């Protein structure tokens, strides 16, 4: 189910838990000429359309009138409720939403970079919870971008720009110290591309962040969690403060799933993040400090020279 490029979307996500694109290039400010319908509801039918090497499908949510789930080759990628962009259905996205809530005072506008677009779920969330935020989405799959713009249009007032290019290439075009928050949710098929797993990549992330800014990554792994441990070790070479949120069964290496990594050069609001994650509909656990360092088990940081994609999920991950 691999697809070409570096598109986004929480591989392994499943709805309300933590399992969880006509081509164009360049960038464009949203809100001009969008004609999408968002026409979900109980009578709506799924919409399927080929994108960049994959089949994208928008599946209506029968419980929410104008909500959709985006899948790529059958793998759930994003869920969007056009009537309520603050509703985050996928558990990993709820955890990223918690982090976005905590990185600054409530309502304070942010500069945010989204590596990977999917259905723009988290950009919509931040636009709704932090009006006047300025956001850039980097999504390689231009056909997916067109589909989402047409069928699930963004709020014309939102300050969101979408750039159709590779995530690392797009990151390289952002000025030093611009972002308060960088969110990486990038998957080629159901795997994070190798060039987005290295210390060199994270050095670029750090360059783009303001002092005290935060980096958040949606990671996917399963037993024996080799990729996850390596990603924590890699982040630790660039950022002094780390935390990781995941379902307890993922922590124990019992199944494939998502884990959300948070990194910064300033102390994190771990206690409040822990409380929020623990009270989610599907409670998770947050580790940081020495406990997180111990979890890595001596894993080595990843460089561009030895980087590999994240592991492919088992077929049962989407069941």
């Amino acid at each position: 189910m691999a697809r070409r490029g570096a598109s986004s979307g929480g591989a392994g996500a499943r709805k309300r838990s933590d399992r969880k694109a006509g081509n164009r290039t360049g960038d464009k400010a949203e809100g001009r000429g969008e004609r999408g319908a968002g026409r979900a509801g109980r009578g709506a039918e799924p919409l399927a359309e080929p994108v960049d090497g994959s089949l994208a499908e928008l599946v209506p949510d029968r419980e929410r009138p104008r909500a959709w789930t985006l899948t790529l080759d059958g793998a759930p990628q994003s869920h969007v409720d056009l009537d309520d962009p603050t509703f985050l259905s996928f558990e990993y996205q709820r955890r990223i939403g918690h982090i976005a809530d905590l990185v600054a005072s409530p309502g304070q506008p942010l500069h945010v970079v989204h590596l990977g677009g999917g259905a723009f779920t988290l950009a919509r969330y931040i636009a709704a919870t932090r009006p006047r935020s300025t956001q850039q989405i980097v999504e390689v799959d231009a056909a997916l971008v067109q589909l989402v713009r047409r069928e699930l249009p963004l709020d014309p007032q939102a300050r969101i720009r979408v750039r159709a290019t590779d995530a690392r290439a797009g990151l390289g075009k952002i000025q030093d110290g611009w972002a308060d928050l960088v969110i990486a949710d990038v998957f080629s098929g159901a795997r994070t591309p190798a060039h987005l797993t290295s210390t060199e990549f994270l050095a670029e992330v750090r360059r783009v962040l303001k002092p005290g800014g935060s980096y958040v990554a949606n990671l996917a792994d399963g037993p024996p969690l080799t990729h996850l441990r390596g990603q924590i070790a890699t982040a630790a070479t660039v950022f002094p403060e780390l935390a990781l949120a995941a379902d307890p069964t993922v922590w124990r290496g019992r199944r494939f799933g998502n884990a959300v990594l948070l990194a910064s050069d300033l102390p994190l609001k771990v206690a409040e993040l822990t409380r929020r994650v623990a009270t989610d509909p599907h409670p998770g656990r947050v580790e940081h400090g020495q406990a997180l360092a111990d979890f890595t088990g001596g894993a080595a940081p990843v460089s561009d020279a030895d980087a590999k994609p994240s592991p492919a999920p088992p077929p049962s991950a989407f069941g």
Side-chain angles (χ1 to χ4, degrees), residues 179-271:
D180 298 289
L181 180 63
V182 174
I183 299 173
D185 185 14
V186 187
F187 289 83
S188 177
R191 306 177 72 180
T192 301
H195 69 298
L196 304 180
T197 67
S198 67
T199 54
E200 291 90 341
F201 164 68
L202 288 182
E204 271 294 280
V205 170
R206 184 66 192 86
R207 177 190 64 77
V208 166
L209 285 172
K210 297 177 182 178
S214 296
Y215 170 65
V216 184
N218 176 33
L219 307 174
D221 199 9
L225 301 179
T226 302
H227 173 72
L228 187 56
R229 298 178 204 275
Q231 288 303 286
I232 298 167
T234 302
T237 67
V238 179
F239 296 97
E241 300 289 336
L242 303 176
L244 188 77
D247 185 278
T249 58
V250 174
W251 276 113
R252 293 193 289 267
R254 293 185 177 177
R255 70 167 177 85
F256 192 97
N258 295 84
V260 173
L261 176 66
L262 169 62
S264 180
D265 59 2
L266 292 182
L268 308 172
K269 296 180 180 178
V270 175

Side-chain angles (χ1 to χ4, degrees), residues 1 15 20 34 66 87 187 200 258 275 280 283 297:
M1 59 184 291
K15 191 174 180 181
K20 184 169 137 137
E34 302 291 357
R66 297 180 70 235
F87 176 75
F187 289 83
E200 291 90 341
N258 295 84
R275 185 191 68 77
D280 276 340

Side-chain angles (χ1 to χ4, degrees), residues 15 39-41 44-47 58-62 64 67-69:
K15 191 174 180 181
R39 45 187 180 275
E45 295 297 326
L47 171 66
L58 291 173
V59 181
D61 185 334
R62 303 305 180 187
R64 304 180 74 89
W68 299 82
T69 296

Side-chain angles (χ1 to χ4, degrees), residues 100-115:
D101 291 344
L102 294 173
V103 295
S105 301
Q108 178 179 325
L110 298 176
H111 285 181
V112 184
V113 176
H114 300 263
L115 302 178

Side-chain angles (χ1 to χ4, degrees), residues 3-317:
R3 52 191 293 275
R4 182 166 57 83
S7 184
S8 87
R14 57 183 165 86
K15 191 174 180 181
R16 297 184 182 88
S17 79
D18 79 338
R19 277 196 316 172
K20 184 169 137 137
N23 290 346
R24 64 177 290 279
T25 58
D27 54 337
K28 169 187 174 185
E30 291 303 316
R32 297 194 299 271
E34 302 291 357
R35 62 179 183 85
R39 45 187 180 275
R42 291 176 179 81
E45 295 297 326
L47 171 66
E49 190 167 304
V51 290
D52 187 8
S54 301
L55 180 67
E57 188 172 18
L58 291 173
V59 181
D61 185 334
R62 303 305 180 187
E63 298 176 2
R64 304 180 74 89
R66 297 180 70 235
W68 299 82
T69 296
L70 168 68
T71 69
L72 293 174
D73 291 336
Q77 301 291 317
S78 302
H79 179 276
V80 169
D81 187 336
L82 295 177
D83 289 333
D84 182 7
T86 67
F87 176 75
L88 299 177
S89 177
F90 290 173
E91 202 62 48
Y92 88 89
Q93 290 184 328
R94 286 179 62 88
R95 290 166 186 160
I96 296 176
H98 295 326
I99 292 168
D101 291 344
L102 294 173
V103 295
S105 301
Q108 178 179 325
L110 298 176
H111 285 181
V112 184
V113 176
H114 300 263
L115 302 178
F120 312 155
T121 303
L122 289 164
R124 299 172 199 267
Y125 177 84
I126 292 171
T129 58
R130 296 181 177 275
R132 303 187 313 282
S133 291
T134 301
Q135 302 185 74
Q136 298 189 45
I137 298 173
V138 182
E139 166 59 61
V140 72
D141 193 332
L144 177 61
V145 168
Q146 284 200 343
L147 172 64
V148 172
R149 279 176 159 157
R150 186 183 73 236
E151 300 297 331
L152 307 175
L154 289 163
D155 180 347
Q157 302 304 313
R159 300 178 180 181
I160 300 173
R161 183 175 294 275
V162 184
R163 181 173 294 168
T165 189
D166 171 78
R168 189 157 163 180
L171 187 67
K173 295 179 181 178
I174 298 173
Q175 68 192 62
D176 294 4
W178 182 84
D180 298 289
L181 180 63
V182 174
I183 299 173
D185 185 14
V186 187
F187 289 83
S188 177
R191 306 177 72 180
T192 301
H195 69 298
L196 304 180
T197 67
S198 67
T199 54
E200 291 90 341
F201 164 68
L202 288 182
E204 271 294 280
V205 170
R206 184 66 192 86
R207 177 190 64 77
V208 166
L209 285 172
K210 297 177 182 178
S214 296
Y215 170 65
V216 184
N218 176 33
L219 307 174
D221 199 9
L225 301 179
T226 302
H227 173 72
L228 187 56
R229 298 178 204 275
Q231 288 303 286
I232 298 167
T234 302
T237 67
V238 179
F239 296 97
E241 300 289 336
L242 303 176
L244 188 77
D247 185 278
T249 58
V250 174
W251 276 113
R252 293 193 289 267
R254 293 185 177 177
R255 70 167 177 85
F256 192 97
N258 295 84
V260 173
L261 176 66
L262 169 62
S264 180
D265 59 2
L266 292 182
L268 308 172
K269 296 180 180 178
V270 175
E272 179 60 18
L273 179 61
T274 299
R275 185 191 68 77
R276 294 187 181 209
V277 170
T279 56
D280 276 340
H282 290 264
R285 194 174 92 222
V286 176
E287 294 287 4
H288 71 292
Q290 190 58 50
L292 186 58
D294 292 343
F295 172 78
T296 64
V302 176
S303 69
D304 276 344
D306 55 19
K308 298 178 181 178
S310 64
S316 60

